[in-house]
Amino acid sequence: MALSRPLCLFLINISLLLTFSSATDPFVSYDFVVSYITASPLGVPQQVIAINDKFPGPTINVTTNNNVAVNVRNKLDESLLIHWSGIQQRRTSWQDGVLGTNCPIPPKWNWTYQFQVKDQIGSFFYFPSLHFQRAAGGFGGFIINNRPIIPIPFDTPHGDIVMFIGDWYTRNHTDLRKDLDDGKDLGIPDGVLINGKGPYRYNDTLVPDGIDYETIEVHPGKTYRLRVHNVGVSTSLNFRIQSHNLLLAETEGSYTVQQNYTSLDIHVGQSYSFLLTTDQNASTDYYIVASARFVNESRWQRVTGVGILRYTNSKGKAHGPLPPAPEDQFDKTYSMNQARSIRWNVSASGARPNPQGSFRYGSINVTEIYVLKNKPPEKINGKRRATLSGISFVNPSTPIRLADQFKLKGVYKLDFPTKPLTGAPRAETSVINGTFRGFMEVILQNNDTKMHTYHMSGYAFFVVGMDYGDWSENSRGTYNKWDGIARTTTQVYPGAWTAILVSLDNVGVWNLRTENLDSWYLGQETYVRVVNPEVTNKTELPIPDNALFCGALSKMQKPQDISSGALSINGNRLKLLFTWLIFVCAWIFQ
């Protein structure tokens, strides 16, 4: 049926209206196919998790306030969730991709995540959050750029380079998982990967021939933004580039006071942005190194990641010994002082954590205090478990957020203790009852013998203090109340504490966990539940139309309709519709 002129003009006007109404906060769409591939990063063929046949996966590159849609197709043989680590999911805890908020995506299904990167900038990464899968890959970068009207606090770099470093095992993640289920330690990793590749053969004895290594090519006399993420299992790594300074500029969404480091400790789950200036001569290539920290060097010699920085006019290969890491295996004071030196750039423009526009977080009244203490794994009901304040978290079959939505009783308890339990440890689903718009102080006390990093979803928190020994009320006198860095993942040294402050203004159910995969898998986590008590609650978006159902609500789940997994409309499609209508109308009425 032919289009009439009035109808044609009407449709063009409607498409224009929709296009312009979505232009303020445009949609950015990605399709992820998650599958196994065979790779040999350390010279041994093994099964790794790839996204769109890439290991590591593609980088998501968006701008502040963009709406992001990621359609995930699960081609693994087990269920899957993708977690967007550090993305605050403001008003949309439904999209966080952890078991407390989402039912897993079954094998052969696809599901679309849709969220807005609201009031954020910075360097983050995504990864699969279930079944120890991150130990097999499935991770990739997530960049949120400033809007054009907001200046960045440094000259625009010549290029943007994303790097993933992390310890790696040649055993499949299913075998690693079984070891943990059987009460075993994972043991020393088999190596450290840089961007999914093994070490450059800097030493013929330590590194076998035939291993593919990462090469980063740069132009001389330029400055690059280097975004480095530790996506490993449990090893802290020292990152450095031979003969080059690393000018720290940003970490997990906050611009930092810019300081040069010859090397920086990057702990599991942490992300940093450096400005790298290629100001050296090109007589040779240069080593990029990621080596394990706080370990016996003689036992860990083979566990070092080595890549190559190559100038376009380089005249030869890198050679000689690797640039050394700090020599403080038994004394972590140097590393802690380095961590304390990382400060917030309070003069930089850009999206900031709440309290928005205020640097007076140190003078806000704290409304609730939690002291969270971890210990080495211990037996609970005959099983080796990890605990937080004496509780080993048990994920319920029905996600906490889903249970709240449908008012299910008995799924979890709002009784997580404010101080560590003194009795025997227990395994249960115990959740922190956060106060909406409260200001929470959390003291992370590490009584384990190894380094831990802790992450909280939904927020950037202020790291205000860290020291050795047990935290006490007097420790508050050492807090940085002016320019403590705001980030999403902080290290806690063994035998030490770290204090954070967080403004609970984001409604939802938010994961608080160790990033060390083995301890996380064994139960060292909890959730913070933040509910708006107002009757007219407009602080959280409704449950998504494509929500998955499981556990006590599994009967509500309909068979997968693949077409329902993807978005029906977005900004790009609207533009295509507008263009198509103009073309058709012009052809009809020419």
Side-chain angles (χ1 to χ4, degrees):
M1 183 176 67
L3 289 173
S4 67
R5 186 184 298 270
L7 177 60
C8 195
L9 293 174
F10 171 76
L11 289 174
I12 287 177
N13 285 331
I14 289 296
S15 68
L16 265 173
L17 175 64
L18 289 172
T19 301
F20 292 151
S21 67
S22 69
T24 304
D25 296 319
F27 272 94
V28 181
S29 300
Y30 290 84
D31 288 301
F32 279 9
V33 177
V34 185
S35 66
Y36 295 120
I37 63 171
T38 299
S40 306
L42 293 176
V44 179
Q46 64 180 121
Q47 176 181 277
V48 306
I49 295 176
I51 296 181
N52 300 345
D53 292 325
K54 295 180 178 179
F55 168 67
T59 295
I60 291 177
N61 198 325
V62 297
T63 299
T64 300
N65 292 347
N66 279 178
N67 295 288
V68 182
V70 186
N71 187 48
V72 176
R73 184 180 179 189
N74 180 11
K75 296 184 73 174
L76 305 181
D77 57 359
E78 56 188 7
S79 57
L80 171 73
L81 282 174
I82 300 293
H83 174 58
W84 319 96
S85 187
I87 306 303
Q88 291 179 18
Q89 302 292 354
R90 302 199 70 81
R91 304 178 68 213
T92 56
S93 71
W94 297 106
Q95 309 292 328
D96 203 31
V98 287
L99 277 178
T101 54
N102 296 100
C103 292
I105 306 169
K108 300 181 181 179
W109 282 44
N110 67 300
W111 196 78
T112 299
Y113 292 88
Q114 184 180 341
F115 51 88
Q116 186 177 28
V117 287
K118 185 70 174 171
D119 297 330
Q120 278 192 271
I121 57 93
S123 308
F124 310 96
F125 66 95
Y126 60 83
F127 66 88
S129 64
L130 302 186
H131 310 310
F132 218 71
Q133 289 165 349
R134 192 174 84 194
F139 46 76
F142 200 122
I143 296 172
I144 308 179
N145 302 289
N146 281 35
R147 289 179 295 159
I149 60 171
I150 305 295
I152 57 176
F154 44 82
D155 292 337
T156 302
H158 181 73
D160 209 302
I161 301 168
V162 179
M163 296 189 70
F164 303 100
I165 60 177
D167 57 358
W168 188 260
Y169 293 85
T170 55
R171 308 198 300 283
N172 286 348
H173 75 283
T174 52
D175 295 326
L176 296 173
R177 199 168 68 205
K178 185 177 184 304
D179 285 345
L180 293 174
D181 290 337
D182 292 341
K184 301 175 183 176
D185 281 322
L186 298 181
I188 296 177
D190 298 297
V192 167
L193 304 189
I194 297 179
N195 282 352
K197 298 177 181 179
Y200 171 78
R201 199 178 191 196
Y202 70 97
N203 182 302
D204 293 348
T205 303
L206 295 175
V207 183
D209 194 14
I211 290 180
D212 189 20
Y213 57 88
E214 178 70 345
T215 300
I216 303 295
E217 188 171 86
V218 293
H219 293 274
K222 304 293 184 182
T223 297
Y224 294 82
R225 185 169 182 173
L226 190 60
R227 304 175 192 259
V228 186
H229 312 272
N230 186 335
V231 294
V233 173
S234 64
T235 304
S236 296
L237 298 173
N238 181 265
F239 181 78
R240 54 201 184 274
I241 298 180
Q242 185 181 26
S243 301
H244 289 73
N245 283 322
L246 300 168
L247 183 62
L248 182 62
E250 175 258 335
T251 178
E252 296 156 22
S254 290
Y255 291 122
T256 66
V257 173
Q258 293 176 24
Q259 301 177 78
N260 272 313
Y261 295 88
T262 55
S263 70
L264 189 71
D265 289 344
I266 304 179
H267 308 281
V268 179
Q270 290 188 327
S271 301
Y272 288 94
S273 273
F274 303 102
L275 298 177
L276 173 71
T277 300
T278 51
D279 55 4
Q280 300 299 301
N281 65 58
S283 57
T284 66
D285 297 340
Y286 295 93
Y287 294 127
I288 302 171
V289 184
S291 61
R293 291 289 274 131
F294 319 124
V295 297
N296 185 311
E297 180 62 29
S298 62
R299 295 184 64 210
W300 285 68
Q301 282 188 83
R302 297 178 182 275
V303 186
T304 299
V306 184
I308 293 296
L309 182 74
R310 175 168 296 155
Y311 285 40
T312 53
N313 60 341
S314 174
K315 296 179 176 62
K317 294 183 177 180
H319 62 271
L322 300 180
E327 296 180 3
D328 60 346
Q329 176 189 340
F330 302 107
D331 180 6
K332 303 170 186 66
T333 305
Y334 174 89
S335 182
M336 183 181 284
N337 287 338
Q338 188 185 66
R340 289 169 172 158
S341 73
I342 299 170
R343 300 300 181 92
W344 197 19
N345 185 345
V346 296
S347 64
S349 301
R352 297 183 179 279
N354 281 341
Q356 287 282 0
S358 169
F359 306 112
R360 299 184 178 88
Y361 63 84
S363 61
I364 298 173
N365 290 330
V366 170
T367 58
E368 46 210 306
I369 304 167
Y370 281 83
V371 179
L372 307 182
K373 180 182 290 188
N374 73 322
K375 295 180 179 179
E378 50 193 323
K379 288 289 184 68
I380 302 178
N381 300 326
K383 287 286 188 179
R384 187 170 180 264
R385 300 286 296 176
T387 59
L388 198 58
S389 288
I391 295 176
S392 186
F393 190 83
V394 178
N395 276 294
S397 59
T398 307
I400 298 164
R401 184 64 195 87
L402 210 56
D404 275 357
Q405 176 71 20
F406 291 91
K407 298 179 171 55
L408 300 183
K409 303 296 184 183
V411 172
Y412 63 91
K413 298 177 181 178
L414 273 177
D415 64 351
F416 198 92
T418 58
K419 295 181 179 179
L421 298 177
T422 56
R426 58 181 190 246
E428 60 184 28
T429 310
S430 181
V431 173
I432 292 175
N433 187 16
T435 303
F436 179 56
R437 293 191 177 134
F439 200 59
M440 181 183 284
E441 178 182 17
V442 181
I443 293 91
L444 301 161
Q445 181 81 49
N446 184 0
N447 281 33
D448 201 346
T449 56
K450 63 180 182 179
M451 177 76 69
H452 277 270
T453 45
Y454 285 90
H455 174 91
M456 186 174 179
S457 294
Y459 299 95
F461 49 70
F462 301 96
V463 182
V464 294
M466 59 178 68
D467 205 350
Y468 288 103
D470 289 334
W471 180 89
S472 70
E473 300 283 340
N474 293 332
S475 301
R476 292 196 180 96
T478 68
Y479 284 5
N480 176 355
K481 296 185 176 182
W482 169 247
D483 61 355
I485 193 68
R487 62 186 310 170
T488 66
T489 308
T490 186
Q491 66 269 56
V492 191
Y493 292 85
W497 57 267
T498 296
I500 63 174
L501 297 174
V502 57
S503 176
L504 299 180
D505 65 331
N506 192 12
V507 167
V509 175
W510 306 108
N511 193 216
L512 175 58
R513 64 176 183 268
T514 177
E515 279 286 355
N516 300 44
L517 282 187
D518 47 356
S519 296
W520 183 13
Y521 180 80
L522 294 175
Q524 198 172 106
E525 65 174 323
T526 186
Y527 284 82
V528 180
R529 178 179 176 268
V530 182
V531 175
N532 185 347
E534 299 167 4
V535 177
T536 56
N537 181 358
K538 296 182 180 180
T539 48
E540 188 179 25
L541 295 176
I543 182 172
D545 293 338
N546 65 343
L548 296 175
F549 297 97
C550 55
L553 300 170
S554 56
K555 290 183 179 179
M556 296 178 61
Q557 183 60 53
K558 298 177 181 178
Q560 169 109 81
D561 176 5
I562 298 298
S563 64
S564 69
L567 286 177
S568 60
I569 195 164
N570 63 39
N572 290 333
R573 291 175 185 173
L574 285 167
K575 291 174 185 176
L576 287 172
L577 173 63
F578 173 62
T579 304
W580 178 81
L581 281 171
I582 288 179
F583 173 79
V584 169
C585 291
W587 178 74
I588 290 174
F589 300 114
Q590 62 183 349

